[in-house]
């Protein structure tokens, strides 16, 4: 039976240098459950080491966790990579790491903590996760699809790191699966402002960097089950699946 799922597809953890250290895996799951979410996607900047632990914390809770990443292209555009199988995310993570130059300066950019499901620090990432990869936007989108994921342009209405702010347009033929708008703009207002983007599905997410922001931006999706295949059908408005607006 198709039903409504409350989803927040853009949640960071304490691995992102700009996120609070309070965003360790168990806390993220607890807040998502408190906010009555059915699906969250963990999308740290250019990294996914905490995603397996968030998945473990959610086991048996009824919450589905999509492991993902927020990848920064060489044009400084942010793209969400969404998966529902951890094994599919691994090769993409390797590609991003190979093309992510620099080393983190914790004093300048923040701590990048890898924390397990028992709240134990497994280590600190030394990569410059706040940096841009050397990968062009089109290659990132292709790599996400090759790995079986969905590619969503993040916070398109933001001046910094949004595709419209960075490029001024969405390149013709770029096979994005959906566009994310900020919770402050909302899907209805985004539709009004951008009729030229009518061919795309829109989602709204929290882009949570502090724990209390989880669930403050929600996408309501009509799905049969919480899988990436169902979400892809909803983006395409196929078989009764859709994103509610």
């Amino acid at each position: 039976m198709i039903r409504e799922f409350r989803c927040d597809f853009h949640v960071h953890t304490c691995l992102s240098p700009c996120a609070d250290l309070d965003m360790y895996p168990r806390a993220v799951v607890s807040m998502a459950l408190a906010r009555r979410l059915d699906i969250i996607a963990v999308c740290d900047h250019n990294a996914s080491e905490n995603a397996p632990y968030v998945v473990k914390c959610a086991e048996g809770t009824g919450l589905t966790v999509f492991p993902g990443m927020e990848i920064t292209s060489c044009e400084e555009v942010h793209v969400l990579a969404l998966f529902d199988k951890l094994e599919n995310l691994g090769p993409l993570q390797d590609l991003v790491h190979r093309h992510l130059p620099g080393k983190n300066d914790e004093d300048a950019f923040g701590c990048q903590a890898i924390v397990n499901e028992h709240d134990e620090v497994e280590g600190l990432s030394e990569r410059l996760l706040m940096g841009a990869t050397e990968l062009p936007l089109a290659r990132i989108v292709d790599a996400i699809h090759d790995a079986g994921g969905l590619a969503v342009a993040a916070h398109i209405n933001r001046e910094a790191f949004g595709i419209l702010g960075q490029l001024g347009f969405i390149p013709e033929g770029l096979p994005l699966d959906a566009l994310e708008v900020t919770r402050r703009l909302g899907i209805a207002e985004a539709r009004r402002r951008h009729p030229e983007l009518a061919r795309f599905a829109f989602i709204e997410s929290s882009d949570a960097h502090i724990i209390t922001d989880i669930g403050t931006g929600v996408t309501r999706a009509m799905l049969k089950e919480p899988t990436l295949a169902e979400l892809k059908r909803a983006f395409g408005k196929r078989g009764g699946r859709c994103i509610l607006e």
Side-chain angles (χ1 to χ4, degrees):
M1 181 178 69
I2 295 173
R3 69 172 180 88
E4 180 181 327
F5 286 75
R6 286 169 45 83
C7 316
D8 187 346
F9 292 119
H10 191 168
V11 175
H12 290 265
T13 76
C14 51
L15 179 57
S16 291
C18 45
D20 275 2
L21 288 176
D22 288 343
M23 297 196 73
Y24 50 90
R26 191 167 57 86
V28 166
V29 169
S30 294
M31 183 56 73
L33 291 169
R35 293 290 164 83
R36 297 182 294 106
L37 295 171
D38 300 298
I39 306 173
I40 63 170
V42 177
C43 295
D44 282 310
H45 290 291
N46 296 313
S48 63
E49 287 92 331
N50 277 347
Y53 300 122
V54 182
V55 171
K56 284 184 182 179
C57 288
E59 288 176 355
T61 67
L63 176 71
T64 296
V65 176
F66 286 173
M69 268 192 291
E70 183 175 21
I71 304 170
T72 307
S73 75
C74 65
E75 303 94 340
E76 299 196 334
V77 173
H78 283 182
V79 182
L80 303 179
L82 306 181
F83 294 83
D84 57 2
K85 293 181 174 60
L86 283 165
E87 57 267 31
N88 292 347
L89 181 56
L92 183 68
Q93 176 69 94
D94 292 342
L95 175 70
V96 169
H97 280 174
R98 289 198 304 274
H99 294 276
L100 182 64
K103 187 175 180 179
N104 187 45
D105 180 342
E106 189 172 315
D107 292 332
F109 301 112
C111 180
Q112 302 177 155
I114 302 167
V115 179
N116 68 22
E117 72 273 29
H118 305 298
D119 310 339
E120 299 164 337
V121 177
E122 294 277 349
L124 301 176
S125 173
E126 295 186 347
R127 301 177 189 278
L128 184 57
L129 301 183
M130 280 299 288
T133 69
E134 302 164 327
L135 299 167
L137 177 59
R139 185 175 175 193
I140 290 172
V141 172
D142 286 345
I144 293 170
H145 289 156
D146 289 346
L150 296 178
V152 179
H155 40 66
I156 62 165
N157 55 300
R158 270 182 39 188
E159 285 296 319
F161 305 113
I163 191 169
L164 297 181
Q166 293 298 125
L167 304 183
F169 63 98
I170 296 179
E172 189 70 28
L174 185 67
L176 292 163
D177 296 290
L179 308 178
E180 180 199 56
V181 299
T182 65
R183 57 191 166 93
R184 287 185 176 83
L185 180 63
I187 293 177
E189 179 62 16
R191 289 288 186 208
R192 190 187 70 79
R193 293 189 190 182
H194 298 287
E196 77 280 9
L197 303 178
R199 66 186 185 281
F200 291 103
F202 279 9
I203 66 169
E204 178 182 330
S205 310
S206 69
D207 191 7
H209 288 72
I210 60 175
I211 198 74
T212 52
D213 273 355
I214 293 174
T216 54
V218 171
T219 295
R220 296 180 299 134
M222 297 300 293
L223 312 172
K224 189 174 182 180
E225 55 188 3
T227 65
L228 212 65
E230 281 287 297
L231 182 59
K232 186 172 184 177
R233 292 187 187 103
F235 286 164
K237 298 181 181 179
R238 298 196 300 271
R241 285 76 166 172
C242 66
I243 302 299
L244 297 175
E245 299 186 5

